[in-house]
Amino acid sequence: MARAVSAPGKVLLAGGYLVLDRAHTGLVFGLDARIHTHVQSLPTVEGVTLQEVVVRSPQFDGATWRYGYSMGRGKGSGVIVTELKSGHPSESPSRNSFIETALAYAFTYILATAKTSYIAPSIVTILADNDYYSTPDATISTSTHPKRTEEDRFSKFSTTLELTHKTGLGSSAALVTSFIAAVLSHYLPASVFKLEDHKQQLHNLAQAAHCAAQGKVGSGFDVASAVFGSCVYRRFSPKVLETLGDVTSGGFLSRLQAVTDGDGLVWDQEIKKGAVQMPSNLRLVMVDVDCGSKTPGMVKQVLQWRKENPLDAQKLWGELQFQNEALATELVQLTSGSRTDGFTMLRDIIARIRTLARDMTSRAGVPIEPQAQTKLLDACTEIDGVVGGVTPGAGGYDAVALLVEDSDEVLSNVQTLLQRWKFAGQDGRTSSTRLLGVRQEMEGVLVEDPAQYRAWIG
């Protein structure tokens, strides 16, 4: 029986850099652009036993990976996943560490909980909503409530995955989350793993796999929002993953099970869903500038500045935290109707957050709100019905976020501006801008109907 799961993208509307520190929080909105994972059994000839998983991303050229798997040599080690190369043109020439790691961690947990030594072969198909990628020729809906269909949400790109520009919506976290959830749902009985009842276990396992694939323990806000949806997030203590070790190390299987199930370990993250709301007459939208930023390098530079200037950084961090909390509170008050003077306060809060972001840009020498983004945000904010906007997350040259009145007229006016706007990227290259067809999404990971992907399954 086939299984399918989707997980949302994200936008860290407030709390970039601060969210790395447990003393602070981030305001995270899920986005209705989703990564979808479909899993079905791989047919085999009777009497033939295979240990193989085929992973496909059919929207891209040469995006097929074939994996073999076996137990590691160490006592109690995890599942070792090995890419199998046949030289076929459909196979990807590049390793995908996120898929490989997610598969290894999911299979290790399956063996630990199902008490079996055999995992049947399967085919995994991954599909991404178009808005994860910069596709200038795509048709973007500006309706108040766009309805995506299978035909317009998944495009066939005439390029490889590696050459496709991302818009910065958190594809790796959504991928790892949906992938692991679909694989566990396919292989484990509902008594052991049922998505609706085991989101905390999914969160823990996806955090561990995502950190391993990245090669570092990040804040985890992207995985948290992929699992739980929009929230105010305080990161987990890194020590929860410090003793996990490598999948090939002895005892990894039991350690991963303990990390996933929270057995003897404290996952101390805070995920407050009720602290995030969006008024019915507002909408969060994203503007793609088709550039992208090297986030790890920016984070490293900001943290180095913070280390060298602790007093200045502490003051700036505190001011940003205050404004970020004010932003979340104002959105809740607007949603409840307790605020009756329109969006004046909300505009002021967003303006103050941007001023502090530009201050950090100047002090740390990192383009958190670079001049090109300042010009774009200022122009958008001048449009009647646009409340304000920010360079979300780590900032830089990824897509910007706008809060706008939820009407076709406002969206159309924003789109008109963007159609003639020429964006000057960090390398001097001029690129086009466009309104992505996304909006805020309060829900996290979801069970999907496998039948809706039939055109892509083959």
Side-chain angles (χ1 to χ4, degrees):
M1 180 178 179
R3 302 285 184 180
V5 173
S6 71
K10 53 73 188 168
V11 55
L12 182 59
L13 190 65
Y17 300 100
L18 277 70
V19 77
L20 296 167
D21 189 333
R22 267 189 58 78
H24 304 288
T25 58
L27 172 57
V28 193
F29 275 100
L31 297 171
D32 64 356
R34 289 176 168 266
I35 299 287
H36 307 251
T37 302
H38 176 283
V39 185
Q40 62 184 7
S41 298
L42 177 65
T44 60
V45 177
E46 185 176 354
V48 175
T49 300
L50 290 179
Q51 288 187 303
E52 181 178 352
V53 171
V54 178
V55 181
R56 306 167 56 249
S57 187
Q59 292 169 273
F60 303 95
D61 295 339
T64 298
W65 299 265
R66 295 178 179 273
Y67 297 103
Y69 45 93
S70 61
M71 293 299 297
R73 295 182 179 181
K75 184 178 180 180
S77 61
V79 173
I80 309 301
V81 171
T82 305
E83 189 171 356
L84 308 175
K85 293 285 190 178
S86 68
H88 193 277
S90 66
E91 292 181 353
S92 174
S94 301
R95 179 189 175 211
N96 191 308
S97 60
F98 289 101
I99 291 175
E100 193 172 306
T101 306
L103 183 61
Y105 275 53
F107 275 9
T108 298
Y109 184 71
I110 289 167
L111 290 184
T113 54
K115 309 301 182 184
T116 180
S117 58
Y118 176 67
I119 298 176
S122 60
I123 302 176
V124 182
T125 301
I126 300 166
L127 294 167
D129 286 348
N130 290 335
D131 290 308
Y132 279 97
Y133 305 99
S134 293
T135 53
D137 295 332
T139 300
I140 305 301
S141 171
T142 59
S143 68
T144 307
H145 298 285
K147 181 181 179 181
R148 283 195 175 91
T149 65
E150 181 184 339
E151 288 74 21
D152 64 17
R153 75 184 308 171
F154 306 129
S155 289
K156 178 67 175 76
F157 300 95
S158 301
T159 184
T160 63
L161 178 60
E162 294 76 19
L163 295 179
T164 306
H165 292 179
K166 296 182 179 180
T167 52
L169 304 186
S171 58
S172 66
L175 166 63
V176 169
T177 299
S178 68
F179 187 98
I180 289 177
V183 170
L184 295 187
S185 299
H186 177 75
Y187 284 103
L188 291 176
S191 59
V192 177
F193 182 82
K194 184 178 181 182
L195 184 58
E196 297 87 341
D197 301 331
H198 295 91
K199 287 186 179 179
Q200 186 59 55
Q201 288 90 334
L202 171 61
H203 167 270
N204 299 349
L205 183 55
Q207 291 282 20
H210 195 245
C211 288
Q214 290 184 120
K216 63 182 179 67
V217 179
S219 69
F221 79 88
D222 44 5
V223 170
S225 61
V227 176
F228 296 106
S230 301
C231 62
V232 169
Y233 175 79
R234 190 184 305 275
R235 71 158 303 150
F236 60 88
S237 297
K239 64 183 180 181
V240 73
L241 295 176
E242 286 177 351
T243 60
L244 183 56
D246 184 80
V247 68
T248 61
S249 60
F252 179 83
L253 187 144
S254 60
R255 290 196 301 274
L256 183 65
Q257 184 178 14
V259 162
T260 302
D261 294 339
D263 185 10
L265 297 168
V266 177
W267 282 88
D268 55 0
Q269 76 281 343
E270 295 177 10
I271 299 170
K272 298 180 178 179
K273 287 192 62 62
V276 175
Q277 297 183 38
M278 184 65 71
S280 59
N281 57 347
L282 277 184
R283 173 176 175 173
L284 188 153
V285 298
M286 304 293 293
V287 176
D288 177 31
V289 299
D290 193 17
C291 286
S293 299
K294 296 179 180 179
T295 302
M298 294 172 63
V299 171
K300 183 178 180 180
Q301 194 170 339
V302 168
L303 294 182
Q304 182 63 33
W305 170 80
R306 186 187 185 197
K307 181 179 179 181
E308 294 172 354
N309 302 271
L311 295 180
D312 288 346
Q314 183 178 5
K315 183 175 184 295
L316 183 56
W317 256 241
E319 291 172 349
L320 274 166
Q321 179 66 27
F322 180 83
Q323 297 300 334
N324 296 344
E325 291 175 357
L327 175 59
T329 299
E330 182 66 13
L331 288 171
V332 170
Q333 290 180 342
L334 286 166
T335 302
S336 67
S338 59
R339 176 73 69 187
T340 59
D341 58 350
F343 303 127
T344 301
M345 181 66 74
L346 184 59
R347 285 191 179 93
D348 291 344
I349 294 170
I350 294 173
R352 288 194 288 271
I353 289 173
R354 285 187 58 197
T355 297
L356 292 169
R358 290 193 296 272
D359 189 13
M360 192 187 298
T361 294
S362 176
R363 295 186 186 205
V366 176
I368 298 165
E369 188 185 300
Q371 187 176 16
Q373 296 283 42
T374 296
K375 291 179 179 179
L376 175 60
L377 287 170
D378 287 348
C380 289
T381 305
E382 289 177 2
I383 297 173
D384 187 32
V386 176
V387 179
V390 297
T391 52
Y397 295 88
D398 284 330
V400 300
L402 302 177
L403 289 180
V404 305
E405 294 181 21
D406 197 359
S407 77
D408 290 352
E409 181 181 1
V410 174
L411 293 173
S412 178
N413 290 338
V414 173
Q415 186 76 300
T416 298
L417 170 71
L418 297 177
Q419 286 172 349
R420 66 172 188 268
W421 193 268
K422 294 301 179 183
F423 186 87
Q426 56 188 331
D427 57 358
R429 180 174 61 92
T430 299
S431 62
S432 59
T433 57
R434 68 185 182 105
L435 188 65
L436 296 177
V438 299
R439 63 184 299 145
Q440 73 279 358
E441 166 68 86
M442 304 310 289
E443 295 298 321
V445 64
L446 294 173
V447 175
E448 299 283 359
D449 178 6
Q452 68 180 297
Y453 311 108
R454 62 171 63 92
W456 292 92
I457 300 306

